Amino acid sequence: MAGLAVLASLLLGVSQFAAELSSQRLQQEVDRLSMDLAAVRQEQTMSAVVLNRHRDSIGFLYGTYSFSGPPGVVRRRGKLRMRFSGTGFVVGPGLMATNRHVAEPWFEDEEADAMIRRGAQPRLERLEAFFPGLGEGLLITQIHVSDDADVAVVSFKPQGAASTLRALPLAARSAMPGDPVVVVGYPMGAAAMVAKSPRAVYRRLVNREDEIGVTRELASLSLIRPSATFGHLGDVVGHNLIYDAATAHGGSGGPVFNARGEVIGINAAYLEGFSGSTLGVSVEALRPVMAQAVAGP
């Protein structure tokens, strides 16, 4: 009888231990699921938080450039004029970061390179920045470009309302594959902003071909508004960032944010038909160009 009592006591102890262990494991699983749910919720709200916090410092760039040269090289009696648009963001008083191929639209363009080799001369005629909340565009007065990366810093006069534009925070830590990112910019340019406009404005502007006139009217109506997309970093190779946040023409030069709302890169390019390969340039490539711009001519 004594042996049975001891055995019963041992079985009871084992049962209690198993119950406690099961409870601990259950709690660990609950904790893990709670953390996963919190991460999902953070990712779902990340785009909205970043956009609401930093929208006013992200501008729409619109400009014209031309090629002049021999009539056999450049069409239209020796001169060819073209329009372009992109995105930029404030990095200091009177300073915006963007891509070099936005500030110099002929940069790494195969058709432009062919014309330049045959004697054509490219020239930026005019570049303006339009910011949310500002009724007029800001004329870009100076351009500094990187010799090593698709990065540029452009200058404007920080006067009046433009003096209140805040510089976006640049990340001090390197980005890692798997990190969530938010890309903000003006993909599809003025056409996308018109599409988002109130119906009466949309009807008035949708068929106008004067894009700069459309942009200026959008600015006067406080309808310069960037868009945000969410994704994850797929890889980091040197100064190159690869992520799956969607973008399109016009989004070049926009900031790429981490989960802390810091800029880790500049949106640069995308591969059509493959959503997993949007390309950006790390802010590390931006810092020396910023130093050059601050130092002046």
Side-chain angles (χ1 to χ4, degrees):
M1 295 295 293
L4 289 175
V6 170
L7 180 58
S9 178
L10 287 173
L11 289 174
L12 179 60
V14 169
S15 177
Q16 291 174 342
F17 176 76
E20 292 175 1
L21 183 60
S22 177
S23 177
Q24 290 175 358
R25 288 176 176 172
L26 179 61
Q27 186 60 50
Q28 290 173 353
E29 186 66 16
V30 169
D31 292 343
R32 185 186 67 80
L33 291 174
S34 297
M35 292 177 62
D36 289 346
L37 181 59
V40 169
R41 286 174 174 168
Q42 180 190 24
E43 291 183 356
Q44 288 177 337
T45 60
M46 184 175 161
S47 295
V49 169
V50 167
L51 190 60
N52 290 334
R53 184 183 303 168
H54 298 305
R55 173 191 285 117
D56 291 349
S57 296
I58 302 168
F60 174 60
L61 290 166
Y62 184 88
T64 57
Y65 68 106
S66 63
F67 285 97
S68 59
V73 176
V74 180
R75 301 186 299 275
R76 297 181 185 177
R77 299 179 182 178
K79 190 166 186 178
L80 174 66
R81 180 175 285 109
M82 304 179 73
R83 300 171 296 176
F84 68 97
S85 65
T87 303
F89 57 96
V90 179
V91 291
L95 297 177
M96 290 179 70
T98 187
N99 291 133
R100 180 174 177 177
H101 81 259
V102 172
E104 293 183 346
W106 54 87
F107 175 67
E108 292 189 343
D109 181 275
E110 292 184 3
E111 185 177 350
D113 286 343
M115 293 172 59
I116 292 170
R117 287 195 299 269
R118 297 172 59 196
Q121 297 292 324
R123 184 175 74 88
L124 183 67
E125 294 189 340
R126 187 179 182 88
L127 182 59
E128 291 182 72
F130 296 84
F131 287 91
L134 299 189
E136 298 180 345
L138 305 176
L139 184 64
I140 298 303
T141 58
Q142 197 170 20
I143 294 172
H144 297 269
V145 301
S146 170
D147 293 328
D148 306 314
D150 189 6
V151 170
V153 174
V154 301
S155 303
F156 61 89
K157 292 183 180 180
Q159 299 174 339
S163 64
T164 64
L165 294 171
R166 295 182 294 107
L168 297 186
L170 304 184
R173 284 184 273 174
S174 300
M176 299 293 291
D179 286 351
V181 296
V182 171
V183 178
V184 182
Y186 296 86
M188 303 307 295
M193 288 186 283
V194 169
K196 295 189 295 183
S197 299
R199 191 166 183 79
V201 177
Y202 171 81
R203 286 177 173 175
R204 187 170 69 251
L205 299 180
V206 66
N207 292 318
R208 279 181 55 179
E209 296 183 359
D210 176 20
E211 192 170 1
I212 184 60
V214 168
T215 301
R216 287 172 178 158
E217 184 161 351
L218 289 171
S220 70
L221 296 171
S222 297
L223 292 175
I224 299 294
R225 297 175 64 85
S227 300
T229 55
F230 176 82
H232 291 86
L233 277 173
D235 205 354
V236 180
V237 183
H239 288 325
N240 296 318
L241 308 178
I242 299 92
Y243 41 90
D244 60 2
T247 188
H249 172 76
S252 292
V256 182
F257 293 94
N258 61 19
R260 295 181 293 277
E262 302 165 332
V263 179
I264 61 171
I266 304 171
N267 191 39
Y270 66 97
L271 299 179
E272 291 190 56
F274 183 41
S275 61
S277 283
T278 306
L279 309 176
V281 184
S282 167
V283 292
E284 294 307 312
L286 172 64
R287 297 185 195 279
V289 190
M290 286 178 57
Q292 178 187 357
V294 170

